[in-house]
């Protein structure tokens, strides 16, 4: 019964009364990106924009985005939950409600939001609900958290277009959560750029093999 209860908690978002209390102050993290040495928390140069994606374990997801030309800096963290300033151990219980996400700060003159969305859709399976492969729980759900109306509308349109492609390939309905960006809590220093520090570390990224064609009307 205990194992069943724990699994149920990991597969269902907690209600506020069920969530862990967290803390008032941010947890310590790195000051600079391990690869680029740029400041994780800014200030970011003028003209740059932000995007936020969750596609399973954030270690491999972050590496994928920091390798994109035009991405200025990346950071991993927790978003979309209830508990303020959660720790990694707390999020893994499923009792904070947060997803593991990557904050991407990018230069739109070099790489477009459409290109980042395409990479997001094609790099994981967005039909799996509260899991990604062998990683099971609310922490690993697929998410796009948006900054502004234009990003939100573009994310919805790309979801609808990609879902049509997935269904044509015999896949199920997309379960990706798309919502305005909530507060982003930076993860601990050990998790920032984890696969640069541990090149043979765990990475569970695996796409569906179905290409994502971004609609021209929302290609910005």
């Amino acid at each position: 019964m205990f194992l069943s209860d724990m699994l149920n908690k990991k597969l269902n978002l907690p209600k506020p009364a069920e969530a862990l209390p967290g803390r008032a102050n941010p947890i310590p993290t790195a000051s600079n990106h391990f690869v680029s040495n740029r400041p994780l928390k800014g200030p970011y140069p003028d003209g740059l924009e932000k995007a936020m994606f969750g596609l399973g374990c954030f270690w491999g997801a972050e590496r994928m985005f920091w390798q994109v030309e035009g991405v200025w800096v990346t950071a991993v963290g927790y978003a979309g939950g209830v508990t303020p300033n959660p720790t990694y151990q707390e999020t893994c219980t499923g009792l904070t409600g947060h997803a593991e996400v990557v904050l991407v700060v990018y230069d739109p003159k070099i790489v477009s939001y459409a290109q980042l969305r395409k990479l997001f859709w094609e790099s994981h399976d967005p039909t799996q609900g509260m899991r990604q492969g062998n990683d099971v729980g609310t922490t690993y759900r697929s998410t796009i958290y948006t900054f502004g109306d234009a990003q939100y509308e573009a994310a919805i349109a790309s979801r609808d277009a990609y879902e049509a492609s997935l269904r044509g390939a015999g896949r199920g309905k997309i379960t990706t959560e798309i919502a305005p960006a909530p507060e982003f809590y930076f993860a601990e220093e050990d998790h920032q750029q984890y696969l640069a520090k541990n090149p043979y570390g765990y990475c569970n990224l695996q796409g569906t093999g179905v290409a994502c064609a971004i609609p021209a009307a929302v290609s910005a």
Side-chain angles (χ1 to χ4, degrees):
M1 189 67 172
F2 173 76
L3 289 176
S4 175
D5 288 346
M6 286 299 294
L7 182 61
N8 184 60
K9 288 178 181 178
K10 287 174 70 71
L11 294 177
N12 292 280
L13 292 171
K15 297 175 182 177
E18 300 170 334
L20 297 175
R23 55 202 48 79
N25 297 319
I27 59 176
T29 191
S31 298
N32 296 84
H33 196 279
F34 184 79
V35 177
S36 68
N37 202 38
R38 291 169 175 162
L40 283 190
K41 297 186 177 182
Y44 307 129
D46 291 342
L48 300 190
E49 297 181 6
K50 295 190 291 184
M52 195 186 301
F53 303 102
L55 52 159
C57 176
F58 53 18
W59 294 340
E62 186 189 19
R63 179 174 62 181
M64 178 183 71
F65 283 112
W66 88 53
Q67 293 175 339
V68 174
E69 183 180 3
V71 169
W72 196 80
V73 76
T74 58
V76 295
Y78 318 111
V82 179
T83 301
N85 298 297
T87 66
Y88 180 75
Q89 288 76 15
E90 289 170 343
T91 62
C92 287
T93 67
L95 294 176
T96 75
H98 294 287
E100 291 190 7
V101 297
V102 181
L103 177 67
V104 181
V105 181
Y106 66 99
D107 186 342
K109 296 187 294 295
I110 300 174
V111 61
S112 69
Y113 187 54
Q115 290 171 295
L116 297 178
R117 293 198 316 278
K118 179 178 173 65
L119 184 62
F120 164 82
W121 290 121
E122 293 181 349
S123 298
H124 74 303
D125 184 346
T127 70
Q128 294 192 349
M130 299 299 185
R131 67 181 300 160
Q132 195 60 213
N134 293 327
D135 294 327
V136 179
T138 56
T139 308
Y140 304 108
R141 66 189 187 271
S142 174
T143 66
I144 301 179
Y145 293 132
T146 59
F147 296 87
D149 291 343
Q151 277 197 7
Y152 180 81
E153 292 168 5
I156 293 292
S158 66
R159 177 201 63 191
D160 294 346
Y162 194 46
E163 186 168 84
S165 297
L166 288 173
R167 285 184 170 176
R171 296 274 179 167
K173 183 179 178 63
I174 285 178
T175 60
T176 301
E177 174 189 357
I178 299 176
E183 186 161 2
F184 172 81
Y185 298 103
F186 286 83
E188 296 87 336
E189 182 172 4
D190 288 351
H191 296 289
Q192 303 296 340
Q193 300 82 60
Y194 180 87
L195 291 182
K197 303 168 187 173
N198 303 275
Y200 301 104
Y202 175 78
C203 177
N204 192 37
L205 276 185
Q206 186 172 358
T208 62
V210 178
C212 175
I214 299 295
V218 290
S219 59

